């Protein structure tokens, strides 16, 4: 952050109420449901796809970026670059939201690139090595890198 920027913490105003974790989770679930199914005024019909484990490259971002203020003085910022860890498709992906990166290879800066959209893993069939994905977009899904998030969405409409 530039040196001329000064961060000032303001006290909370009277009447401000802190939101509970339950309220935040319900709000997030409502936004995810709206992403896939739309709102009552604009109903959407998502698509489901069956994808082989071998046709999908899934990664997880390991280290979040650390602000300079929290870093030791003798440490370079490059020491804390976010790293990608390969995820083996399996039951661990059930109900997880995956981001579709515009990157096609790991050598590209996957963490800094934009995402094309999101899909949700609604079923995992380990015997046939298949994933069922819920997507707001019709076929074909882009052949990119999928980034697994910690966000889960249980689709009650399936």
């Amino acid at each position: 952050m530039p040196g001329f920027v000064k961060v000032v913490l303001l006290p909370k105003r009277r009447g401000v109420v802190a939101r509970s974790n339950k309220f935040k989770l319900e709000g997030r679930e409502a936004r995810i449901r709206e992403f896939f199914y739309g709102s009552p005024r604009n109903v959407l019909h998502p698509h489901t796809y069956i994808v082989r484990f071998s046709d999908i490259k899934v990664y997880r971002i390991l280290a979040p970026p650390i602000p300079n203020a929290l870093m030791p003085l003798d440490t370079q910022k490059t020491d804390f670059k976010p790293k990608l860890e390969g995820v083996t498709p399996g039951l661990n992906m059930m109900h997880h939201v995956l981001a579709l990166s515009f990157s096609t290879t790991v050598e590209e800066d996957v963490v800094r690139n934009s995402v094309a959209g999101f899909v949700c893993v609604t079923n995992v069939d380990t015997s046939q090595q298949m994933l069922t994905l819920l997507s707001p977009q019709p076929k074909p899904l882009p052949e990119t890198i999928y980034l697994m998030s910690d966000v889960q969405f249980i689709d009650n409409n399936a």
Side-chain angles (χ1 to χ4, degrees):
M1 190 171 309
F4 62 86
V5 175
K6 184 175 181 181
V7 177
V8 179
L9 298 176
L10 299 174
K12 284 186 182 178
R13 296 182 54 96
R14 285 185 320 178
V16 172
V17 179
R19 295 180 175 170
S20 68
N21 284 339
K22 182 182 177 198
F23 182 82
K24 292 176 190 175
L25 288 174
E26 288 172 355
R28 178 171 61 188
E29 176 142 343
R31 296 292 81 75
I32 295 171
R33 183 170 308 288
E34 185 177 341
F35 177 78
F36 289 110
Y37 291 100
S39 64
R41 291 179 47 163
N42 184 22
V43 178
L44 301 176
H45 301 284
H47 305 271
T48 55
Y49 302 108
I50 297 177
V51 179
R52 286 189 209 110
F53 287 3
S54 59
D55 294 342
I56 189 170
K57 296 179 278 186
V58 183
Y59 293 90
R60 174 178 293 225
I61 300 172
L62 285 181
I66 298 173
N68 287 334
L70 299 177
M71 292 178 57
L73 294 174
D74 60 345
T75 308
Q76 295 289 330
K77 183 111 176 151
T78 58
D79 295 345
F80 292 100
K81 281 185 109 174
K83 294 176 180 63
L84 293 178
E85 173 187 55
V87 175
T88 304
L91 292 173
N92 59 327
M93 295 177 64
M94 187 70 155
H95 302 300
H96 278 269
V97 174
L98 307 176
L100 283 70
S101 173
F102 275 120
S103 301
T104 55
T105 62
V106 181
E107 288 76 31
E108 296 178 48
D109 196 357
V110 176
V111 176
R112 297 205 191 293
N113 277 353
S114 301
V115 295
F118 299 92
V119 294
C120 181
V121 179
T122 57
N123 191 21
V124 178
D125 186 351
T126 54
S127 63
Q128 294 187 8
Q129 304 270 305
M130 301 279 203
L131 292 173
T132 304
L133 302 177
L134 180 69
S135 172
Q137 174 183 336
K139 282 189 176 182
L141 286 175
E143 293 182 20
T144 63
I145 291 176
Y146 292 75
L147 298 173
M148 186 168 143
S149 70
D150 290 333
V151 176
Q152 292 186 356
F153 172 66
I154 299 175
D155 185 18
N156 296 327
N157 296 356

